[in-house]
């Protein structure tokens, strides 16, 4: 450290040099201590921490931000009015309490820093000027334009990014960054230190100034390193080296068969040393112990040397005598040889001198060139490293900001979704309760308004007849008008053709007369007949001209007449279109009236059916119905052998009630057979419930449990009894089986069974008194008990589903239509409710499984996108596979659910409905996320989502239309939105092309949202033109004025998308004749009717 060797005052250059020495001194101290520590730890010896002097406070004083000397110097350089005095005063105020900073008493511009090596005084007069030292731009351009590569490379231009990123770049800051890079390089290597010591200040040889040398060693930290080393174990030798050097102190140890470690310990113990440490491969000695061992060794070797010297001196004396005599003989010959060699050596030195000069000149030139190249490379390396660090820091900050934004937006959207979901559930529950109560009141009122409904029906029929008559009259008027119009058009066309023919003939006559006049003029004598011919020709020309004018006027009038005819024709066409519109409106009104008539008929039939049910309930609750308690709970109603229907059902019910009243007083002996029969039937029901609670599997693609339940209920005539518990037990069994909502195998199994059983009930049961009703129309969203009863009562035995089942099962005697009682109708409605519940559970489970994946599918990972753009072929393949991993997970879930439903033979109609709603859910989630997050509306993200949609399209193709159905069409919103994102040349597209061809499904609000949020992160292209954006704004304003909904988000439809009639029309026929009963009931005689006929 040059500043401590003299009492001079230094400037900015020596300040930077001393800053570098402080950094190197700190690295040297830490490295020496680290070597000692690693050595002790490696050998596993007991040692304690060694204190050493740390100069971190000096480094903080110089380089710490924002309060260091360099930072304050850069701050002062930024202000144009700053001077060296203001800078010095700033230092005095900032570091007045720092023990390493000393303010001089006399000078106002100097300051003292207590460095590791000592106190150094700096003069701040030129700190600001030298820190702001920069290359003039004109000079730099001049040097850069030089043809000499060395001169052009001395001051390379800074990159534009670095010059824009920092407003001010000082010498101190750049020196600090370069020094930091140097320290990082030293920290990553294993340095070796060389200390240079100046022996004297006179610069003369053989003179050593002890105080000066000690001061230099102390300043360089050499004494401190020696102190650190001596504080521990300064002397260390391996076992082999210690035995080799000091084994002679204990020869008996070497002669014995001892281990090296044990032998070393025995030698040291014999010498009486204490405080040493024995490691794994070395012996560690305290300060002075090695000298003691060397003294013992020297004593032993001295005694041995004296014994050897006595023997050797005799041998040496004799040998010297012989040598002297032999030398005398050869002395003369050697003298002659020396003179000859001196002559040869002079000649050789002359030749070598010229060669050395040549090589030395070449060496000095090459060394200067290499030094210059190394300087240029070092300068370029520093500048490039600084630029790379700035770019990396900016990218790192950008990535962190994007991650924080994504997390925050995810949290906000998820919180909003949870609140919205909770509010929707509360609203739905309240609304459904209100609708159920209203429907119950309507049904009760409808039971009292049957007569009024019939009158309304008659009025509507008369209205339909009147509208039909009017429609026929309008049709006749329209045909007559069209015929008259056609005749008038033909007449006008004929007149126009005749006028055109007359005009052509007149033109031909005019041309012919002109030709004749021309010939007459040419043939006539030139003088005599000149004047009469001219007069005649002019008269003819004038007459022809007048005729032409009259023909033109006639043609013009004909054209006007034709134009009026065309106008009349256009008016007629307009009137015909108006009549056609009126006719269409009349047809629509007639259709609406027919639909209202059908609804009134359905409502009338429902009220009649409900009245009958209420009458039956009144009979059961009446005083005369109390005698029914003496009868068994399951009443078996006799059937006629002809058609299997109940004959005079009301009379038989009344007769059964009278018999039950009269038989209530008979002896108990007559009731025992009936009780035993009921007990047997109860046992059969228990066995059936036990069998159904197990997984019976499938037979020939048909669920065994549904077929067995249907056969048993039909055989026991449970559909026709007034009271029974078998339906409730079956419903309870199904409810207990689906208590675990996550078991998709069980849900799919019961979905298949419940749909098959519902199909059989739909084709078999009919409500009494409803034979003349119309087929059931689309099912409403009623969830009340009476609503489901009315839906079941609306099912007519003459519907298409019944005829379809009768055609498929006409060969079976067991399948026949029966008039169902209230328990059977209630069982059918409960089964329908469970079918919808199981369907909804499977659909919701699949939604829950793919919902987390959809959040990852809407935006591609940045690292993966970068690897796709910049990577090689193999890296691109890996990145592409990583990109579609989330989409493949969704496809895997879809395949899993499809496989589960196929294995459980779920009807393809229900499978199509499940996947159609799932794809609609995917469409809603992806489309709404695309509209709500701007980072998703990019070109590369559109390509990413498009590749994922291709995976879903491939799945639909592989699943076939039988199971996928129209699921792919549900993704139309996200498909068109993604297609708009990835299309090129968006500014050239017009609004008509966008709304009619590219995105016909999307609304103006949605297109405006996508167009304004779009950004191209791949090619840097722009969105649609400003004219298209302004047109969209105008259309949105018009929509808002017309009270059109301005919401651009889609809603997810979670309703049940099918009815009982849809199931009966879509499912295939079920042949229950060949179903083998389970082994549990096969051996029971009470279930013999389940066995095939051959058995």
């Amino acid at each position: 450290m040059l500043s401590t060797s003299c009492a001079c005052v230094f400037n900015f250059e020596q300040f930077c040099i001393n800053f570098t020495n402080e950094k190197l001194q700190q690295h040297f101290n830490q490295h020496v201590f680290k070597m000692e520590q690693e050595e002790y730890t490696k050998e596993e010896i007991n040692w304690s921490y060694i204190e050493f002097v740390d100069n971190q406070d000096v480094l903080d004083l110089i380089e710490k931000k924002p309060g260091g000397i360099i930072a304050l110097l850069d701050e002062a350089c930024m202000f144009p009015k700053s001077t060296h005095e203001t800078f010095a005063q700033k230092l005095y105020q900032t570091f007045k309490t720092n023990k390493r900073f000393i303010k001089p008493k006399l000078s106002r511009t100097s300051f003292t820093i207590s460095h590791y090596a000592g106190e150094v005084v700096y003069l701040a007069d030129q700190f600001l000027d030298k820190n702001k030292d920069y290359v003039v731009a004109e000079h730099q351009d001049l040097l850069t334009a030089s043809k000499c590569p060395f001169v052009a490379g001395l001051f390379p231009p800074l990159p534009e990014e670095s010059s824009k990123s920092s407003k001010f770049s000082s010498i101190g800051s750049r020196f600090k960054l370069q020094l930091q890079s140097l320290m990082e390089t030293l920290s990553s290597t294993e340095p070796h230190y060389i200390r240079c010591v100046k022996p004297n200040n006179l610069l003369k040889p053989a003179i050593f100034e002890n105080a000066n040398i000690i001061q230099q060693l102390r300043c360089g930290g050499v004494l401190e390193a020696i102190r650190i080393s001596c504080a521990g174990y300064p002397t260390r030798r391996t076992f082999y080296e210690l035995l080799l050097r000091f084994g002679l102190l204990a020869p008996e140890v070497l002669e014995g068969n001892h281990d090296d470690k044990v032998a070393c310990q025995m030698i040291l113990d014999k010498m009486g040393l204490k405080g040493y440490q024995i490691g794994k491969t070395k012996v560690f000695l305290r300060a002075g112990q090695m000298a003691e061992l060397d003294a013992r060794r020297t004593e032993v070797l001295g005694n041995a040397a004296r014994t050897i010297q006595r023997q050797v001196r005799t041998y040496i004396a004799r040998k010297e005598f012989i040598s002297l005599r032999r030398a005398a003989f050869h002395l003369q010959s050697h003298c002659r040889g020396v003179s000859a060699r001196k002559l040869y050596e002079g000649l050789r030195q002359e030749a070598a001198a010229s060669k050395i000069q040549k090589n030395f000149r070449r060496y000095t030139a090459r060394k200067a060139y290499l030094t210059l190249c190394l300087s240029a490379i070092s300068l370029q390396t520093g500048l490039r490293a600084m630029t790379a660090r700035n770019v990396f820091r900016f990218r790192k900050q950008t990535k962190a900001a994007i991650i924080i934004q994504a997390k925050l937006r995810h949290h906000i959207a998820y919180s909003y979704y949870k609140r919205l979901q909770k509010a929707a559930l509360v609203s739905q529950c309240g609304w459904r309760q209100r609708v159920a109560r209203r429907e119950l009141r309507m049904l009760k009122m409808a039971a009292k308004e049957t007569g009024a409904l019939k009158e309304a029906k008659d009025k509507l029929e008369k209205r339909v007849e009147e509208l039909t008559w009017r429609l026929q009259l309008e049709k006749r008027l329209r045909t007559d008008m069209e015929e008259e119009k056609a005749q008038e058009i033909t007449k006008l066309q004929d007149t126009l053709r005749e006028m055109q023919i007359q005009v052509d003939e007149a033109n031909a006559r005019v041309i012919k007369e002109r030709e004749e006049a021309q010939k007459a003029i040419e043939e006539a004598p030139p003088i005599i007949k000149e004047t009469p011919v001219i007069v005649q020709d002019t008269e003819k020309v004038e007459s022809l001209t007048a005729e032409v004018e009259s023909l033109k006027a006639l043609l013009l009038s004909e054209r006007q007449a034709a134009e009026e005819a065309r106008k009349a024709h256009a008016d007629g066409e307009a009137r015909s279109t108006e009549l056609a519109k009126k006719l269409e409106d009349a047809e629509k009104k007639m259709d609406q009236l027919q639909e209202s008539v059908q609804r009134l008929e359905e409502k009338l039939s429902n009220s009649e059916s409900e009245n009958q049910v209420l009458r039956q309930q009144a009979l059961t609750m009446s005083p005369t119905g109390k005698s029914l308690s003496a009868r068994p709970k399951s009443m078996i109603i006799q059937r006629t052998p002809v058609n299997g229907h109940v004959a005079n059902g009301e009379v038989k019910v009344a007769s059964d009630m009278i018999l039950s009243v009269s038989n209530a007083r008979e002896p108990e002996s007559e009731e025992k057979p009936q009780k035993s029969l009921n007990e047997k039937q109860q046992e059969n029901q228990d066995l059936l419930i036990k069998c159904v609670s197990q997984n019976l599997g499938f037979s020939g693609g048909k669920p065994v449990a549904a077929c067995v339940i249907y056969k048993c209920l039909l055989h026991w005539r449970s559909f026709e009894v007034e009271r029974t518990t078998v339906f409730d037990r079956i419903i309870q069994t199904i409810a207990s089986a689906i208590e675990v909502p996550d078991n998709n195998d069980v849900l799919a199994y019961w979905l298949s069974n419940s749909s098959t059983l519902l199909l059989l009930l739909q084709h078999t049961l009919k409500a009494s008194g409803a034979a003349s009703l119309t087929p059931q129309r689309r099912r409403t969203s009623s969830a009340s008990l009476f609503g489901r009863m009315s839906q079941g009562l609306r099912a007519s035995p003459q519907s298409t589903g019944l005829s379809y089942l009768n055609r498929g099962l006409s060969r079976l005697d067991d399948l026949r239509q029966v008039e169902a009682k209230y328990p059977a109708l209630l069982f059918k409605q409960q089964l329908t409710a469970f079918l919808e519940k199981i369907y909804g559970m499977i659909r919701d489970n699949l939604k829950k499984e793919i919902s987390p994946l959809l959040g990852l599918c809407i935006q591609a990972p940045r690292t993966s996108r970068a690897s796709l753009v910049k990577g090689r072929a193999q890296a691109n393949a890996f990145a592409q596979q990583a990109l579609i991993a989330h989409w493949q997970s969704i496809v895997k879930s879809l395949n899993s659910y499809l496989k589960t439903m196929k294995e459980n033979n779920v009807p393809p109609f229900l499978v199509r409905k499940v996947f159609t709603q799932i794809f609609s859910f995917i469409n809603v989630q992806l489309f709404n996320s695309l509209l709500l997050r701007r980072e998703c509306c990019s070109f590369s993200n559109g390509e990413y989502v498009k590749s994922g949609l291709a995976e879903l399209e491939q799945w639909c193709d592989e699943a076939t239309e039988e199971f996928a159905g129209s699921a792919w069409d549900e993704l139309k919103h996200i498909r068109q939105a993604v297609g708009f994102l990835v299309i090129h040349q968006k500014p050239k597209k017009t609004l008509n092309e966008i709304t009619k061809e590219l995105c016909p499904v999307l609304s103006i609000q949605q297109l405006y949202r996508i167009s304004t949020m779009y950004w191209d992160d791949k090619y840097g292209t722009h969105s649609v033109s400003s004219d298209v954006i302004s047109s969209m704004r105008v259309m949105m304003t018009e929509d808002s004025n017309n009270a059109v909904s301005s919401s651009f988000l889609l809603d997810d439809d979670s309703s049940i998308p099918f009815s009982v009639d849809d199931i009966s029309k879509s499912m295939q026929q079920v042949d229950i004749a060949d179903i083998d009963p389970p082994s549990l009931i096969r051996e029971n005689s009470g279930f013999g009717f389940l066995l095939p006929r051959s058995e």
Side-chain angles (χ1 to χ4, degrees), residues 124 167 601:
K167 297 181 179 179
E601 289 177 353

Side-chain angles (χ1 to χ4, degrees), residues 7-197:
C8 302
V9 178
F10 295 96
N11 212 314
F12 181 74
E13 294 86 352
Q14 189 59 37
F15 175 77
C16 295
I17 295 172
N18 290 344
F19 175 39
T20 305
N21 289 334
E22 290 286 351
K23 278 281 189 180
L24 294 175
Q25 184 61 46
Q26 185 188 40
H27 184 270
F28 172 77
N29 291 342
Q30 292 179 354
H31 182 70
V32 170
F33 175 74
K34 184 177 179 182
M35 289 178 57
E36 291 288 329
Q37 180 179 357
E38 287 178 354
E39 184 72 22
Y40 295 161
T41 305
K42 179 180 178 181
E43 294 295 329
E44 297 181 358
I45 64 174
N46 296 326
W47 64 286
S48 59
Y49 182 78
I50 302 171
E51 296 290 339
F52 65 96
V53 179
D54 191 5
N55 60 340
Q56 184 60 41
D57 51 352
V58 182
L59 295 176
D60 293 341
L61 176 66
I62 297 174
E63 65 175 351
K64 185 177 181 181
K65 288 186 177 181
I69 294 177
I70 296 178
L72 294 176
L73 181 61
D74 293 342
E75 182 181 356
C77 291
M78 293 181 188
F79 295 102
K81 295 183 179 180
S82 297
T83 61
H84 56 276
E85 294 181 357
T86 58
F87 168 65
Q89 295 299 323
K90 183 69 174 178
L91 292 180
Y92 298 158
Q93 295 175 3
T94 305
F95 304 115
K96 59 184 179 180
T97 59
N98 197 319
K99 61 181 181 179
R100 291 284 187 172
F101 185 87
I102 301 172
K103 176 183 177 183
K105 296 181 180 180
L106 300 178
S107 177
R108 297 182 60 186
T109 59
S110 62
F111 59 92
T112 303
I113 296 177
S114 179
H115 285 284
Y116 178 85
E119 295 180 357
V120 180
V121 180
Y122 298 98
L123 188 63
D125 288 345
Q126 296 181 354
F127 267 53
L128 296 178
D129 297 335
K130 293 184 177 181
N131 191 42
K132 292 189 293 185
D133 188 16
Y134 62 94
V135 181
V136 180
E138 290 80 7
H139 298 174
Q140 184 176 3
D141 295 339
L142 179 64
L143 293 176
T144 306
S146 175
K147 295 182 180 180
C148 178
F150 170 71
V151 177
L154 287 177
F155 299 98
L158 293 175
E160 295 181 1
E161 297 180 359
S162 63
S163 61
K164 292 180 181 178
S165 62
S166 60
K167 297 181 179 179
F168 176 76
S169 179
S170 63
I171 300 297
S173 300
R174 291 202 295 269
F175 181 82
K176 178 182 174 182
L177 292 176
Q178 293 174 2
L179 180 59
Q180 184 178 357
S181 176
L182 174 63
M183 298 309 299
E184 290 175 357
T185 304
L186 292 178
S187 300
S188 61
T189 59
E190 184 178 359
H192 298 276
Y193 297 91
I194 299 175
R195 293 292 183 177
C196 299
V197 179

Side-chain angles (χ1 to χ4, degrees), residues 691-710:
C691 180
V692 170
S693 61
Q694 301 175 0
N695 191 343
L696 301 182
F698 303 88
S699 176
K702 297 180 285 294
V704 177
C707 297
V708 170
I709 291 173
Y710 176 76

